[in-house]
Amino acid sequence: MAEERGTARVTCTAPVNIAVIKYWGKRDTDLILPINSSLSVTLHQDQLRTTTTAAASRDFTEDRLWLNGEEVDAGQPRLQACLREVRRLARKRRGEDAAAPLSLSYKVHVASENNFPTAAGLASSAAGYACLVSALARLFGVEGELSEVARRGSGSACRSMLGGFVQWQRGQRPDGRDSVALQLAPEQHWPELRVLVLVVSGEKKTVSSTAGMQTSVDTSPLLKYRAEVVVPERMSRMARCIQERDFEAFGQLTMQDSNQFHATCLDTFPPIFYLNDISQHIIALVHRFNAHHGRTKVAYTFDAGPNAVVFMLEDTVDEFVEVVRRSFPPASNGDQFLRGLPVGTAVLPEELVSAVVVEPLPGAIRYLLHTKPGPGPQLLDDPSQHLLGPDGLPQRSA
Ligand code: DP6
């Protein structure tokens, strides 16, 4: 923690995660306790990250929050819940009478930025709350288990508190103390695993996850069956696939679980549609690609929006990217179509093209982002990277 002119500031970064066994539905909407466990892959912050600066000072008169440069209401209950929990843990740690470096009664200023467009619908709340909690915890000197606090911001955020392959266990206790994230394996565990985010053209999502999942809990019998019967078995199977680095089994289960999540959305009344026409074209393309190769080489998953996240091994990336390029020829931004980790060139065999690239849809995919599994939240030591100045007000980041 750096203290200048009475203002203490901490800056952290945190990752996005993508669930391969989906969280959908709460049994407690205030504590954000899920009806089923879930499992995710943390994506690398070199490509997708949130950066957050938290500052505290005796001179601040109210909590204030800036998201991507715009000031927003800092009174929102989920933000306040995270702040309250961090302060509670800090108080517990210090003991009531210890000489505290920073008073817990100081108001905070928080500024947060994503290095990816929020409109891309890429789980920005998970990275956002994980980053907020990491920065606040550092600011107030709290260490240890923090996924429980991040969970109070957004359920999926608890999984962004760890890198690699992460399980959020449902837990049994009504107070949520056992509803925490655990790392199954670090990011180095599966070095060949790659992730391609296909950002599709079109509008933002219409029904938020929070609202959508509550309607599903209230109306979908399929969701109840999924949570009670399907997910417990899938959780252990998925953990085994990851442990054994069995891509085929991992990929199949990932696709099946995404499909079942979207089936529960259709089973919700009134129904919720997150996939669009382009999503469906991507699904069909992936299945044609796998059928052509006679095995599961690529696997899609979709959250509460139309963008696809596609898993594959390193040796499949060049070929699959070329297939996507031929199937969804870039409209005008040809040079920005491919972002993230480098991709090599591939010459596609004629049989592959005729079997897999059936009806090209120009402009349907805005861009591809190539990334891989990555670590959990990081502390930035360089003071020039603070998003808030010594006065606690936003300054342009470097
Ligand atoms: C489809 O974590 O955004 O991405 O807890 O209400 O904030 P709240 O919901 P949120 O839901 C994420 C749902 C999902 C699946 C997943 O990430 O597991």
Side-chain angles (χ1 to χ4, degrees):
M1 174 184 34
E3 196 153 357
E4 292 163 65
R5 293 191 220 161
T7 304
R9 292 177 294 169
V10 169
T11 300
C12 289
T13 65
V16 164
N17 72 79
I18 178 77
V20 290
I21 300 292
K22 304 290 185 193
Y23 148 55
W24 196 250
K26 298 178 185 70
R27 60 181 205 275
D28 183 318
T29 52
D30 177 38
L31 293 175
I32 309 197
L33 301 178
I35 58 171
N36 60 258
S37 297
S38 55
L39 204 158
S40 59
V41 180
T42 298
L43 303 185
H44 208 289
Q45 294 170 63
D46 281 354
Q47 283 76 45
L48 296 167
R49 69 174 168 276
T50 297
T51 304
T52 300
T53 299
S57 162
R58 67 149 57 87
D59 299 332
F60 297 168
T61 52
E62 53 177 349
D63 294 333
R64 294 179 71 181
L65 172 66
W66 290 264
L67 294 183
N68 294 312
E70 302 244 325
E71 182 157 16
V72 298
D73 175 21
Q76 20 176 323
R78 288 173 170 210
L79 175 90
Q80 288 297 326
C82 290
L83 201 49
R84 200 167 52 240
E85 285 302 298
V86 170
R87 287 196 166 110
R88 186 179 62 77
L89 293 173
R91 199 167 296 122
K92 202 162 108 187
R93 195 182 156 83
R94 290 173 184 186
E96 294 301 342
D97 54 0
L102 189 67
S103 168
L104 293 175
S105 62
Y106 288 179
K107 298 291 181 192
V108 298
H109 285 189
V110 174
S112 192
E113 269 179 10
N114 297 327
N115 74 337
F116 53 92
T118 311
L122 295 167
S124 57
S125 71
Y129 278 107
C131 209
L132 171 80
V133 169
S134 303
L136 286 175
R138 276 286 184 152
L139 187 67
F140 289 111
V142 178
E143 281 166 14
E145 163 47 48
L146 290 166
S147 72
E148 211 192 311
V149 183
R151 194 198 71 222
R152 301 292 301 273
S154 184
S156 55
C158 74
R159 300 185 312 237
S160 276
M161 295 302 281
L162 294 159
F165 302 84
V166 182
Q167 173 179 341
W168 171 16
Q169 56 183 37
R170 174 195 191 279
Q172 300 297 330
R173 293 173 54 142
D175 65 2
R177 298 303 306 272
D178 55 354
S179 191
V180 294
L182 303 169
Q183 189 182 59
L184 289 176
E187 65 273 20
Q188 306 86 348
H189 167 72
W190 202 344
E192 305 82 18
L193 192 63
R194 292 292 178 275
V195 180
L196 209 57
V197 183
L198 278 53
V199 179
V200 309
S201 307
E203 325 91 85
K204 293 212 278 179
K205 70 179 168 190
T206 44
V207 182
S208 74
S209 305
T210 306
M213 70 173 76
Q214 198 47 43
T215 314
S216 297
V217 167
D218 293 340
T219 63
S220 168
L222 176 58
L223 181 64
K224 189 171 153 53
Y225 176 74
R226 166 178 167 74
E228 287 171 7
V229 181
V230 180
V231 171
E233 185 273 330
R234 285 187 176 177
M235 282 297 292
S236 44
R237 194 142 52 95
M238 185 60 91
R240 209 160 48 240
C241 296
I242 291 167
Q243 221 54 57
E244 294 169 0
R245 293 183 279 261
D246 179 345
F247 185 81
E248 284 215 67
F250 168 84
Q252 280 174 31
L253 191 49
T254 295
M255 292 189 279
Q256 286 170 334
D257 203 70
S258 172
N259 294 341
Q260 188 175 73
F261 154 52
H262 291 280
T264 67
C265 290
L266 187 61
D267 192 45
T268 298
F269 198 78
I272 308 167
F273 304 95
Y274 288 123
L275 305 179
N276 66 15
D277 270 14
I278 306 166
S279 318
Q280 285 167 23
H281 276 97
I282 295 167
I283 291 173
L285 177 70
V286 163
H287 286 291
R288 284 197 302 272
F289 186 85
N290 289 337
H292 175 79
H293 283 289
R295 63 195 163 98
T296 301
K297 292 193 78 175
V298 292
Y300 55 78
T301 184
F302 296 83
D303 280 345
N307 297 323
V309 175
V310 183
F311 289 97
M312 68 202 74
L313 297 178
E314 196 179 7
D315 61 6
T316 306
V317 172
D318 299 354
E319 183 178 82
F320 186 72
V321 165
E322 189 52 28
V323 164
V324 172
R325 208 200 299 269
R326 298 277 282 267
S327 305
F328 305 97
S332 53
N333 64 342
D335 51 335
Q336 284 175 42
F337 187 62
L338 204 52
R339 306 179 191 189
L341 294 172
V343 175
T345 52
V347 178
L348 303 181
E350 255 325 300
E351 321 84 72
L352 174 71
V353 175
S354 55
V356 178
V357 182
V358 293
E359 38 168 341
L361 291 177
I365 291 185
R366 264 164 52 203
Y367 63 89
L368 304 184
L369 181 82
H370 182 205
T371 185
K372 60 182 185 179
Q378 311 279 315
L379 175 72
L380 295 186
D381 286 324
D382 176 1
S384 74
Q385 292 178 302
H386 289 318
L387 302 178
L388 296 170
D391 57 357
L393 296 175
Q395 58 183 6
R396 272 310 313 153
S397 56

